[in-house]
Amino acid sequence: MKKLVLAASVVLLAACASPQQEQVNFAPKATTSAAKVVENKSMSLSSKDVRTAQYVALLDNGRSNITPVHTRQNLRIGIENALVNQFSSQGFQVTVNSENSLNVEVQEALVSVKHTVMENDMTANVVLELTAENAKGKLVKTYTGTASRSGLMSASNDDIETVLNDTVNLVLKEIANDKELQDYMKERF
């Protein structure tokens, strides 16, 4: 029994001593439409994350020490939920089974951070690919968002969070305002 208590204590202490992974909040905001584009055209929406790694930021302090930063929320699900709200506000009815499908592929979502004690430089890249498809045809579009930000002092998690969310929101806004995508879905869905 003493060995079991000792082993449990060692495991507990090791867990407390191990460094915690850096995490940021991911909260994309849908660009909702005041006017409906269509009236209750149904579509199914699916998504997948094809990034090679699940972190959303890399912190480089210049001393051969690069730290990955993850989101507390699932990035793919956050983007999918924002798009559901976006398309619902445009008049589309998102259902599970529809002959009209929209597939979202998260290809990149990364904030590269180079920082020292005195300054930081952040560069964000977000790439989403949308495929609108049914029996009448298929439209594939890639949306890219980039942002740069510099500041004094080292970058905080709040700074990284702001840059990531703002860049994703820019891409969502571009999708919401894409007339070619709207016209395609209006005519073919």
Side-chain angles (χ1 to χ4, degrees):
M1 184 68 178
K2 285 183 181 180
K3 288 182 183 178
L4 182 62
V5 170
L6 182 61
S9 299
V10 169
V11 169
L12 186 61
L13 287 173
C16 291
S18 66
Q20 298 295 316
Q21 283 189 340
E22 295 284 330
Q23 290 187 330
V24 295
N25 281 320
F26 178 63
K29 289 188 174 42
T31 303
T32 55
S33 176
K36 295 193 183 281
V37 176
V38 296
E39 281 298 323
N40 291 326
K41 288 196 176 198
S42 73
M43 69 174 198
S44 62
L45 184 87
S46 62
S47 62
K48 64 181 171 181
D49 192 344
V50 297
R51 296 176 298 148
T52 55
Q54 296 305 303
Y55 51 78
V56 293
L58 286 175
L59 299 173
D60 182 359
N61 67 5
R63 286 176 254 139
S64 300
N65 186 15
I66 297 176
T67 307
V69 178
H70 296 267
T71 58
R72 289 184 181 96
Q73 300 80 8
N74 185 302
L75 184 96
R76 178 191 63 81
I77 292 172
I79 290 171
E80 183 178 316
N81 288 340
L83 286 171
V84 166
N85 291 338
Q86 222 165 267
F87 286 113
S88 294
S89 77
Q90 292 178 348
F92 291 97
Q93 185 178 8
V94 181
T95 62
V96 178
N97 293 324
S98 175
E99 60 188 40
N100 305 313
S101 69
L102 189 69
N103 188 343
V104 182
E105 190 174 273
V106 180
Q107 296 180 342
E108 186 177 356
L110 181 66
V111 180
S112 298
V113 182
K114 291 185 192 275
H115 69 131
T116 63
V117 175
M118 299 305 288
E119 64 182 358
N120 69 73
D121 290 312
M122 292 186 273
T123 305
N125 289 312
V126 174
V127 179
L128 301 179
E129 183 182 272
L130 257 65
T131 305
E133 186 174 14
N134 64 10
K136 298 176 186 172
K138 178 182 194 177
L139 174 71
V140 179
K141 293 204 69 175
T142 303
Y143 300 90
T144 304
T146 57
S148 296
R149 181 175 168 183
S150 297
L152 298 174
M153 309 305 280
S154 62
S156 69
N157 281 354
D158 288 343
D159 296 333
I160 295 166
E161 186 177 300
T162 299
V163 170
L164 174 66
N165 285 320
D166 287 352
T167 308
V168 170
N169 291 343
L170 285 172
V171 173
L172 291 173
K173 186 175 184 176
E174 185 182 348
I175 292 168
N177 296 327
D178 185 349
K179 290 303 263 177
E180 183 184 7
L181 179 65
Q182 286 178 4
D183 291 344
Y184 183 87
M185 293 170 69
K186 193 189 308 183
E187 291 170 14
R188 308 237 173 141
F189 277 15

